[in-house]
Amino acid sequence: MATPVLTPTGSLLDEKLKKSSPGKIGGIVFGIMLLGGLVYIGMKLSKDLAVVHNASIFPFVLLGLALFIALGFEFVNGFHDTANAVATVIYTHSLEPHIAVVWSGLWNFIGVLTSSGAVAFSIISLLPVELILKVSKGSGFSMVFALLVAAILWNLATWWRGLPASSSHTMIGSILGVGIANQLMQGNSGTAGVDWEQVTKVFKALLISPVVGFVLAALVFLLFKLVAKDPRLYKAPEGTAPPPFYIRALLVLTCTGVSFAHGSNDGQKGMGLIMLILVGTVPTAYALNHTVNASQVQTFAAVSTQVAGALGNYVEPGATLQDVTPELEHFISTKKYEPGVMLALQQEVTDIRNEATSYGALSNVPANMQSNVRNQMYLTSETLRLMPKLGPKMNDGDIKIISNYKGFLDKSTKFIPTWVKVAVALALGLGTMVGWKRIVVTVGEKIGKTHLTYAQGASAELVAMVTILAADGYGLPVSTTHVLSSGVAGTMAANRSGLQMSTLRDIALAWVFTLPVAALLSGCLFWLFNMIAK
C-alpha cells in the first residue's frame, strides 16, 4: 500500500525549505513593486481627496480603518487561496519554494491589475439594495465591516487548520448572513431581501467548479497517458532533481496561469467592497465616475429620452405615480411587479437625464448631491436588471435601447480606480508570500497517498487555470482552492494512487460548514455593529 509523502523529520516541504535559499532577487523585485505601489496609491488618493472639504477628521479615520480591514481580507485571501497555485511546482521540484511563492505573487499582482471588475460587481449585486443606498449611514458601514470581519475570521480559522476552504464561498456566506439579518431586524421574513436568483447563479458556479475540476483533471491526466508516452511523466520525482525541461516548462506555465487567474478572479472580491467603503466615507470623490465628460453626458441625455419613450409603451392605463424612490426600492426588495413601477421608472429616467444635463459633466455635480445622483442611477440600473424577468414582456428593439442606457448608468457608478486595483494586488501578492506553507502542505502531501507525479501536477494546474479564466470571463466568482484541490484528487483517482480520505473529509466539511458559519458570523456582527452605530 502507498504511504503519504513524509520524511523522518516531518513534511517533505520542511526538508526542501532547509535546503533552498530565499528567492532574494524575486523578493527585491516585489519589494520595489511594493514601495512603488504605495507611493502611487498615496499620490492618487491624495489627489482624489483634494476635492473633499470636510471639517471633521472622522470620515478619513473611518476610511483608513475600513481600507485596512478590506485589504486585510485580500491579504488573508492571498496566503489562503494562492498557495494552491504553487503546490504542484514545489512538489515536482520544478521551482524552489521561495522562488515559486514570489513568482506566484507577481502573477497575482498582474492578474488583479488586468481584471475587468465584472466579478466585483456580481458580488455586490448580492447585497441588499437598501443597504447599498445607505452605505454612508450606520447600517451601510455595519454591513461592510460585518462582511469583511466575518470572512477574515473564518479564513484564518481554516488556514490555521491547513484546510483549503474557499474565500469565495466565505464571502457569499457573509453576504447572505447580512441580508437575512437585515430583514429579520426589520421584522420581515429572513429571505425577503435576498436576490435568490443571483445567489443561485453564483452558488451554482461554486458548486459545479470543484466537480469540473475533479472530472476534467482526471480526463486530462488520462489523455496525457494516451498521448505522451514518456515514462518519466508518471513517476514520482526522485530526489530533488527537477523534471525534464519541457515538463518543467509546462508546470511553471500552468502555475503562472493559475496565479494570474486567481488574481483576476479572486482579487476582485474585495474591490467592490472597497468601492462601497469609498462611496460611504468620501462620496464627493467616489460616488460618481468623474471621467464621464460633457460629450458623454449629451449622448446619455439623448439615449435617456429614447428610453423614457420606450418605457412609456409599457405603462398600463390608469397607473398612478406614487413616490418614485420608495416604489422602485419596494420592487427590488420584494421582486413583485406592480403597474406603478413602470411609471416610477420612467419618471426616474427623466429626472436623472435632467440632472445630468444641468450639471454638464459628472465631475460638476455639487458635493452635497453626489450621493443622491449615484443612488438614483444605481436604483434605476438595478430596476432595469430585474425588469425583463419580472415586468411586462418587451420587444427586442426596446430591450436594446434599455441595455445601452443601463451600460451608461453602470459606467457612472460601477467603476474601480486603478489605485484600488494596485492596493488589492499588493495585498494579495504580499499575502501569497507570507502564509502559504500550511495550505501547500495539505495540497501537496495530504490529498493523495503518493507524491504528485509531473503529469498529475500539470493536469490539475491546467484545468484550474482554464476553469478560473472562463469563470472570470462570465463574471462568476469561483474557488481557486476547490478547483485545484479537487483537480489533484481527480488525478490521484484516475491514477489509482489512493486518496487520504481523512483530508478529503476535512475539506468537504469545511466546504459544507463555510456558508452557514460565515452567514451566522456576519449576521451576528451586523446586528452588533448596528447596535453600536445607533
Side-chain angles (χ1 to χ4, degrees):
M1 179 180 292
T3 55
V5 183
L6 295 174
T7 68
T9 56
S11 78
L12 176 65
L13 182 60
D14 289 329
E15 295 299 303
K16 289 177 69 67
L17 286 173
K18 289 177 183 177
K19 298 175 183 178
S20 66
S21 59
K24 292 181 180 179
I25 296 177
I28 291 171
V29 170
F30 193 85
I32 294 171
M33 292 174 63
L34 178 62
L35 181 61
L38 291 175
V39 171
Y40 174 80
I41 292 167
M43 290 173 60
K44 288 294 183 181
L45 193 55
S46 298
K47 182 180 178 181
D48 289 346
L49 297 182
V51 300
V52 180
H53 303 289
N54 198 318
S56 172
I57 196 174
F58 179 71
F60 300 104
V61 173
L62 194 60
L63 171 63
L65 177 62
L67 284 179
F68 178 78
I69 295 175
L71 293 175
F73 166 75
E74 290 297 348
F75 176 81
V76 174
N77 186 10
F79 67 69
H80 195 284
D81 280 14
T82 316
N84 294 277
V86 298
T88 53
V89 289
I90 290 174
Y91 280 93
T92 56
H93 309 307
S94 297
L95 289 175
E96 291 300 326
H98 297 295
I99 296 174
V101 171
V102 173
W103 180 253
S104 179
L106 291 174
W107 281 97
N108 264 278
F109 184 94
I110 296 170
V112 175
L113 289 184
T114 56
S115 59
S116 64
V119 173
F121 293 112
S122 73
I123 292 286
I124 293 299
S125 66
L126 300 177
L127 293 167
V129 172
E130 62 268 27
L131 291 180
I132 293 177
L133 298 179
K134 298 173 183 176
V135 72
S136 59
K137 297 180 173 60
S139 58
F141 285 120
S142 298
M143 169 187 70
V144 174
F145 281 115
L147 288 174
L148 291 170
V149 173
I152 289 172
L153 288 176
W154 181 247
N155 275 349
L156 284 174
T158 51
W159 165 80
W160 184 256
R161 294 288 299 169
L163 296 176
S166 166
S167 295
S168 306
H169 207 168
T170 304
M171 183 57 72
I172 302 302
S174 297
I175 288 172
L176 288 178
V178 166
I180 293 171
N182 179 58
Q183 290 300 315
L184 291 175
M185 288 165 62
Q186 295 180 30
N188 301 324
S189 164
T191 61
V194 179
D195 186 348
W196 288 108
E197 182 175 349
Q198 187 71 6
V199 169
T200 301
K201 177 183 175 184
V202 170
F203 194 68
K204 279 181 180 178
L206 290 173
L207 180 65
I208 294 172
S209 55
V211 179
V212 170
F214 184 94
V215 174
L216 287 187
L219 291 176
V220 170
F221 176 73
L222 293 175
L223 184 62
F224 260 113
K225 282 196 165 185
L226 286 174
V227 176
K229 300 300 183 180
D230 188 342
R232 294 175 297 180
L233 276 170
Y234 312 105
K235 292 182 179 178
E238 297 176 0
T240 58
F245 176 77
Y246 77 95
I247 300 174
R248 188 178 190 184
L250 177 61
L251 288 164
V252 172
L253 176 65
T254 53
C255 167
T256 303
V258 172
S259 300
F260 175 85
H262 178 268
S264 182
N265 192 283
D266 277 48
Q268 295 187 53
K269 294 179 177 67
M271 287 183 193
L273 294 177
I274 288 175
M275 288 311 300
L276 286 182
I277 291 167
L278 294 172
V279 170
T281 52
V282 280
T284 305
Y286 297 107
L288 295 171
N289 187 352
H290 292 171
T291 65
V292 177
N293 56 37
S295 64
Q296 291 172 314
V297 168
Q298 288 176 355
T299 302
F300 169 69
V303 174
S304 298
T305 302
Q306 283 183 304
V307 170
L311 294 176
N313 297 329
Y314 307 97
V315 175
E316 296 181 21
T320 57
L321 181 63
Q322 304 296 327
D323 290 338
V324 172
T325 299
E327 184 82 42
L328 298 183
E329 285 186 7
H330 181 73
F331 167 66
I332 293 172
S333 176
T334 62
K335 309 295 185 296
K336 293 179 181 178
Y337 178 81
E338 296 175 355
V341 173
M342 191 63 74
L343 200 57
L345 179 59
Q346 185 185 41
Q347 183 61 51
E348 191 77 293
V349 169
T350 303
D351 290 344
I352 294 172
R353 179 199 64 190
N354 294 340
E355 288 178 349
T357 51
S358 68
Y359 299 130
L362 294 187
S363 58
N364 296 334
V365 176
N368 62 342
M369 290 295 293
Q370 294 262 343
S371 292
N372 185 58
V373 173
R374 176 189 180 276
N375 284 350
Q376 286 178 292
M377 288 184 167
Y378 192 92
L379 189 61
T380 302
S381 177
E382 287 298 292
T383 303
L384 291 173
R385 180 176 68 84
L386 296 174
M387 192 59 71
K389 306 164 191 173
L390 304 175
K393 183 174 177 57
M394 299 181 177
N395 64 57
D396 292 341
D398 290 339
I399 291 175
K400 186 175 180 180
I401 293 170
I402 290 170
S403 178
N404 183 36
Y405 172 77
K406 185 178 182 301
F408 183 92
L409 293 178
D410 291 344
K411 180 181 179 182
S412 302
T413 59
K414 297 179 179 180
F415 64 100
I416 300 174
T418 303
W419 74 261
V420 172
K421 291 186 176 183
V422 172
V424 169
L426 290 173
L428 200 64
L430 193 59
T432 303
M433 294 189 291
V434 171
W436 53 276
K437 182 183 171 183
R438 288 178 183 272
I439 306 299
V440 165
V441 170
T442 297
V443 174
E445 300 181 12
K446 297 182 180 180
I447 292 179
K449 291 185 176 181
T450 61
H451 197 302
L452 272 174
T453 67
Y454 302 130
Q456 287 175 318
S459 300
E461 290 272 13
L462 188 62
V463 168
M465 176 180 71
V466 173
T467 303
I468 299 165
L469 286 174
D472 190 38
Y474 286 101
L476 295 172
V478 295
S479 168
T480 302
T481 300
H482 288 149
V483 173
L484 187 59
S485 58
S486 63
V488 171
T491 64
M492 291 288 178
N495 197 40
R496 299 181 180 180
S497 304
L499 296 169
Q500 295 194 49
M501 299 311 297
S502 60
T503 300
L504 295 183
R505 183 195 64 231
D506 289 345
I507 293 174
L509 286 175
W511 197 95
V512 169
F513 284 113
T514 288
L515 193 143
V517 171
L520 182 62
L521 268 175
S522 67
C524 293
L525 288 172
F526 178 68
W527 175 82
L528 177 63
F529 293 158
N530 261 298
M531 294 298 101
I532 296 173
K534 282 186 177 181

